[in-house]
Amino acid sequence: MKTFLELEGAYLVLGFIIILITIFVSTRPFMSKGAIKKGLFWVILVLAIMIGLHFKITTDRMSEVTTAFNEGRTVICESRAIRKVAQSVDIHRDREWILKADIFVSPHYSRGFFTARCIVK
C-alpha cells in the first residue's frame, strides 16, 4: 500500500479534484436529474482504470529493473539534479551501486534513484 501511495499519490489527488469538479457540474440546475449518478459512475470508473493501469505498468517496470540490476545488466535512471549536461545516469553493480528497498544508492553519488524512474539499457 505504501508503494501504491508513493507512486500514485499525485494522481489520486488529481482524481479527487476531478471528482469534485464532476459533482459541482452535475449538480447544476441545467443538468438532468440522474446526471450526478451517471457522471460519478463513469468518472470514477475511468479514473480507477487509468490509475490502476499506471500502477501495474510502473510496478512491472520496477520489477524488470530490479531483476536486470541483480543479473548484472546496466540500468539507466533519470537525473533531475543536473539538467544541462547529463540527464541520465548509468547504474551498474561494478560501479559500486547497490539496491536498498527500491532505491539505487552509491557512495560516489550524492542522491539515490527510485527504481520507478529507471529503465533497463
Side-chain angles (χ1 to χ4, degrees):
M1 185 63 157
K2 180 184 173 200
T3 305
F4 179 77
L5 292 176
E6 284 178 354
L7 295 174
E8 306 302 324
Y11 298 116
L12 292 172
V13 170
L14 289 173
F16 182 70
I17 292 169
I18 291 169
I19 289 170
L20 290 178
I21 292 169
T22 303
I23 291 171
F24 178 77
V25 171
S26 62
T27 56
R28 299 297 95 200
F30 57 84
M31 298 297 287
S32 64
K33 281 196 174 221
I36 191 163
K37 289 180 185 176
K38 291 177 190 172
L40 283 177
F41 172 76
W42 288 108
V43 167
I44 290 172
L45 179 68
V46 168
L47 287 173
I49 290 170
M50 291 173 69
I51 290 171
L53 280 174
H54 183 265
F55 180 72
K56 173 79 170 115
I57 291 168
T58 303
T59 53
D60 286 350
R61 185 177 64 246
M62 289 171 62
S63 176
E64 179 185 352
V65 164
T66 301
T67 303
F69 179 76
N70 289 334
E71 291 174 353
R73 298 189 325 201
T74 302
V75 173
I76 301 172
C77 292
E78 175 186 24
S79 176
R80 294 182 179 178
I82 304 170
R83 285 289 189 191
K84 294 180 181 177
V85 182
Q87 291 186 352
S88 63
V89 175
D90 287 352
I91 294 176
H92 196 274
R93 289 185 131 183
D94 294 343
R95 297 182 191 138
E96 297 184 37
W97 285 94
I98 57 173
L99 184 59
K100 289 184 180 177
D102 292 328
I103 297 177
F104 291 112
V105 291
S106 171
H108 305 293
Y109 206 79
S110 61
R111 59 185 291 268
F113 294 97
F114 192 38
T115 55
R117 307 293 172 242
C118 302
I119 59 171
V120 178
K121 187 171 185 179

